Amino acid sequence: MSASTSSKDDGSLLVSNMHKIGLSTDASSRLKLLLASQSPRRREILDMMGLSGRYTAEPSPLNEEELQIELSKKDISPHDYARTLAERKAHAKIPSVTKSNGEVTLIIGSDTIVDLDGVIMEKPKDEADACEMIQRLSGNWHQVHTGVAVYAVGVGGLDEEKLMFSFTDTASVKFASLTDEDIKSYVSSQEPMDKAGSYGIQGIGGQLVERMEGDFFTVMGLPMHRFSRELSSAIRLLDI
């Protein structure tokens, strides 16, 4: 499509609305972006999207372990589990947002889980747990669900909050058949220890992956394309 050809989708991506997000150091900005996470992978994806300097990153105060126990007692699908965690992470950050007249803060919450035949795999407890997870994934297809949620604080009034959107994006990943030495060597690198399912596709763990279907960035921790569309739509709705 040439630059002169228009369509109903023109301006639907964040790249067309990025200028509306102020620099994180600009106190006069009317629209601020807060990532409720200290995940280096999600920060890397936001930076790749051109948002470097336009957001701040702070951990969510949510007690994830308590929520995981709560959700484990419910009949909830892995798909909905990831979205619920994302919503709760973002919502838990709302009380700490500094509110100012005419200013809106968009809080991003996200969570990634690995799903093997309906069984949710979170981060490993220790190296033995990581080895066991990877052994189960070896030679098999699994799904990776990344939930994303964005709350707006200050929309319509200082204390008003609104869930602008939430969704789960899913990718399917096929592991190669791994030897015991492959698994042991990978776990000894320590890379798996802070990652759902005990591997990181963007690092050494990419060697374990034979093929995949879906968005690479969903597996990495934040589905870039869908997040771009949803955030762009939210910003247009705010009409700032």
Side-chain angles (χ1 to χ4, degrees):
M1 181 181 290
S2 68
S4 60
T5 303
S6 62
S7 77
K8 65 180 181 180
D9 288 331
D10 283 350
S12 63
L13 297 177
L14 183 62
V15 66
S16 300
N17 292 283
M18 196 121 45
H19 62 283
K20 297 179 182 179
I21 304 172
L23 296 174
S24 57
T25 55
D26 183 3
S28 65
S29 171
R30 295 182 59 204
L31 181 61
K32 296 184 181 298
L33 206 57
L34 171 61
L35 175 65
S37 169
Q38 285 193 317
S39 163
R41 295 166 292 282
R42 293 191 180 103
R43 295 201 304 269
E44 182 180 354
I45 293 170
L46 291 183
D47 290 347
M48 290 170 69
M49 293 176 70
L51 288 168
S52 180
R54 295 183 183 272
Y55 71 93
T56 54
E58 300 173 4
S60 172
L62 179 71
N63 187 321
E64 291 187 51
E65 187 174 343
E66 285 187 3
L67 179 57
Q68 288 164 1
I69 293 171
E70 174 191 330
L71 294 178
S72 69
K73 298 175 182 177
K74 299 180 179 180
D75 183 18
I76 185 170
S77 68
H79 183 278
D80 290 341
Y81 182 96
R83 177 181 51 77
T84 300
L85 278 171
E87 290 178 358
R88 298 281 191 94
K89 280 183 176 180
H91 192 268
K93 194 65 185 170
I94 290 175
S96 67
V97 172
T98 301
K99 302 174 180 68
S100 177
N101 279 319
E103 179 181 294
V104 174
T105 298
L106 296 177
I107 305 174
I108 307 165
S110 186
D111 195 82
T112 300
I113 61 169
V114 169
D115 165 13
L116 178 64
D117 298 327
V119 177
I120 295 170
M121 291 182 168
E122 295 279 4
K123 298 173 184 176
K125 299 180 180 66
D126 51 35
E127 290 190 10
D129 192 29
C131 286
E132 193 271 338
M133 284 189 194
I134 297 171
Q135 184 64 59
R136 290 168 63 193
L137 294 172
S138 175
N140 293 314
W141 281 94
H142 63 272
Q143 292 187 312
V144 179
H145 308 287
T146 292
V148 182
V150 168
Y151 272 90
V153 180
V155 55
L158 279 181
D159 296 318
E160 290 195 27
E161 61 190 60
K162 181 180 181 181
L163 177 62
M164 300 301 294
F165 64 84
S166 66
F167 66 85
T168 298
D169 199 76
T170 299
S172 296
V173 180
K174 170 70 160 55
F175 264 26
S177 295
L178 307 172
T179 67
D180 290 342
E181 185 60 30
D182 290 332
I183 296 170
K184 180 181 176 182
S185 297
Y186 178 53
V187 172
S188 68
S189 75
Q190 296 299 303
E191 184 182 83
M193 303 315 297
D194 66 340
K195 295 173 178 63
S198 300
Y199 77 96
I201 196 170
Q202 73 286 349
I204 301 170
Q207 298 178 51
L208 315 182
V209 176
E210 191 170 87
R211 65 176 66 93
M212 67 166 290
E213 297 174 358
D215 187 345
F216 172 88
F217 294 105
T218 294
V219 184
M220 187 171 168
L222 189 67
M224 185 188 292
H225 177 73
R226 188 166 178 187
F227 176 67
S228 172
R229 281 190 176 276
E230 296 286 354
L231 187 58
S232 178
S233 177
I235 290 173
R236 293 200 309 273
L237 283 173
L238 290 171
D239 194 25
I240 291 179

mmCIF file of all heavy atoms in Angstrom, residues 10 16 45 69 94 110 138 167 172 175-176 180 187:
data_model
loop_
_atom_site.group_PDB
_atom_site.id
_atom_site.type_symbol
_atom_site.label_atom_id
_atom_site.label_comp_id
_atom_site.label_asym_id
_atom_site.label_seq_id
_atom_site.Cartn_x
_atom_site.Cartn_y
_atom_site.Cartn_z
ATOM 1 N N ASP A 10 -5.841 3.261 9.102
ATOM 2 C CA ASP A 10 -4.779 4.258 9.230
ATOM 3 C C ASP A 10 -4.719 4.794 10.656
ATOM 4 O O ASP A 10 -5.732 5.157 11.245
ATOM 5 C CB ASP A 10 -5.015 5.426 8.256
ATOM 6 C CG ASP A 10 -4.648 5.066 6.818
ATOM 7 O OD1 ASP A 10 -4.043 4.003 6.613
ATOM 8 O OD2 ASP A 10 -4.973 5.858 5.927
ATOM 9 N N SER A 16 1.575 5.753 15.432
ATOM 10 C CA SER A 16 0.873 6.953 14.974
ATOM 11 C C SER A 16 0.414 7.846 16.117
ATOM 12 O O SER A 16 0.002 8.987 15.881
ATOM 13 C CB SER A 16 -0.350 6.557 14.137
ATOM 14 O OG SER A 16 0.036 5.808 13.013
ATOM 15 N N ILE A 45 11.089 -4.740 25.261
ATOM 16 C CA ILE A 45 10.073 -4.679 24.200
ATOM 17 C C ILE A 45 9.509 -3.274 24.071
ATOM 18 O O ILE A 45 9.346 -2.750 22.957
ATOM 19 C CB ILE A 45 8.951 -5.708 24.463
ATOM 20 C CG1 ILE A 45 9.506 -7.128 24.332
ATOM 21 C CG2 ILE A 45 7.789 -5.504 23.484
ATOM 22 C CD1 ILE A 45 8.554 -8.216 24.789
ATOM 23 N N ILE A 69 -2.582 -18.863 44.575
ATOM 24 C CA ILE A 69 -3.272 -19.840 45.431
ATOM 25 C C ILE A 69 -4.786 -19.669 45.298
ATOM 26 O O ILE A 69 -5.536 -20.647 45.180
ATOM 27 C CB ILE A 69 -2.823 -19.692 46.895
ATOM 28 C CG1 ILE A 69 -1.353 -20.095 47.041
ATOM 29 C CG2 ILE A 69 -3.705 -20.532 47.816
ATOM 30 C CD1 ILE A 69 -0.759 -19.792 48.400
ATOM 31 N N ILE A 94 -2.504 1.205 41.316
ATOM 32 C CA ILE A 94 -3.269 2.452 41.252
ATOM 33 C C ILE A 94 -3.074 3.353 42.475
ATOM 34 O O ILE A 94 -2.867 4.559 42.319
ATOM 35 C CB ILE A 94 -4.771 2.159 41.029
ATOM 36 C CG1 ILE A 94 -4.977 1.624 39.610
ATOM 37 C CG2 ILE A 94 -5.623 3.408 41.253
ATOM 38 C CD1 ILE A 94 -6.394 1.183 39.304
ATOM 39 N N SER A 110 1.145 -7.001 33.131
ATOM 40 C CA SER A 110 1.317 -8.128 32.213
ATOM 41 C C SER A 110 1.831 -9.351 32.963
ATOM 42 O O SER A 110 2.553 -9.218 33.958
ATOM 43 C CB SER A 110 2.297 -7.756 31.087
ATOM 44 O OG SER A 110 2.366 -8.781 30.117
ATOM 45 N N SER A 138 10.251 -31.114 26.778
ATOM 46 C CA SER A 138 11.110 -31.685 25.742
ATOM 47 C C SER A 138 10.327 -32.529 24.734
ATOM 48 O O SER A 138 9.579 -33.435 25.104
ATOM 49 C CB SER A 138 12.195 -32.552 26.399
ATOM 50 O OG SER A 138 12.984 -33.210 25.426
ATOM 51 N N PHE A 167 -6.500 -8.403 27.691
ATOM 52 C CA PHE A 167 -6.583 -9.517 26.747
ATOM 53 C C PHE A 167 -5.485 -10.526 27.064
ATOM 54 O O PHE A 167 -4.564 -10.255 27.833
ATOM 55 C CB PHE A 167 -6.441 -9.028 25.296
ATOM 56 C CG PHE A 167 -5.089 -8.451 24.964
ATOM 57 C CD1 PHE A 167 -4.025 -9.260 24.581
ATOM 58 C CD2 PHE A 167 -4.883 -7.077 25.014
ATOM 59 C CE1 PHE A 167 -2.777 -8.731 24.266
ATOM 60 C CE2 PHE A 167 -3.638 -6.532 24.705
ATOM 61 C CZ PHE A 167 -2.585 -7.356 24.329
ATOM 62 N N SER A 172 2.048 -20.872 20.249
ATOM 63 C CA SER A 172 2.360 -22.292 20.431
ATOM 64 C C SER A 172 3.838 -22.524 20.127
ATOM 65 O O SER A 172 4.362 -22.006 19.138
ATOM 66 C CB SER A 172 1.499 -23.157 19.506
ATOM 67 O OG SER A 172 0.128 -23.026 19.838
ATOM 68 N N PHE A 175 9.240 -27.690 21.489
ATOM 69 C CA PHE A 175 10.610 -27.951 21.930
ATOM 70 C C PHE A 175 11.203 -29.116 21.144
ATOM 71 O O PHE A 175 10.501 -30.083 20.814
ATOM 72 C CB PHE A 175 10.630 -28.317 23.423
ATOM 73 C CG PHE A 175 10.938 -27.160 24.333
ATOM 74 C CD1 PHE A 175 10.661 -25.856 23.975
ATOM 75 C CD2 PHE A 175 11.522 -27.384 25.575
ATOM 76 C CE1 PHE A 175 10.936 -24.800 24.817
ATOM 77 C CE2 PHE A 175 11.810 -26.338 26.429
ATOM 78 C CZ PHE A 175 11.521 -25.036 26.051
ATOM 79 N N ALA A 176 12.489 -29.044 20.883
ATOM 80 C CA ALA A 176 13.206 -30.193 20.344
ATOM 81 C C ALA A 176 13.289 -31.269 21.425
ATOM 82 O O ALA A 176 13.060 -30.997 22.604
ATOM 83 C CB ALA A 176 14.605 -29.767 19.914
ATOM 84 N N ASP A 180 19.569 -35.214 28.458
ATOM 85 C CA ASP A 180 19.740 -34.837 29.860
ATOM 86 C C ASP A 180 20.853 -33.810 30.017
ATOM 87 O O ASP A 180 20.755 -32.888 30.841
ATOM 88 C CB ASP A 180 20.058 -36.070 30.714
ATOM 89 C CG ASP A 180 18.858 -37.000 30.859
ATOM 90 O OD1 ASP A 180 17.726 -36.550 30.600
ATOM 91 O OD2 ASP A 180 19.063 -38.174 31.226
ATOM 92 N N VAL A 187 20.076 -25.349 32.519
ATOM 93 C CA VAL A 187 19.681 -24.923 33.865
ATOM 94 C C VAL A 187 20.872 -24.363 34.632
ATOM 95 O O VAL A 187 20.734 -23.385 35.380
ATOM 96 C CB VAL A 187 19.034 -26.101 34.629
ATOM 97 C CG1 VAL A 187 18.795 -25.727 36.098
ATOM 98 C CG2 VAL A 187 17.707 -26.493 33.977
#
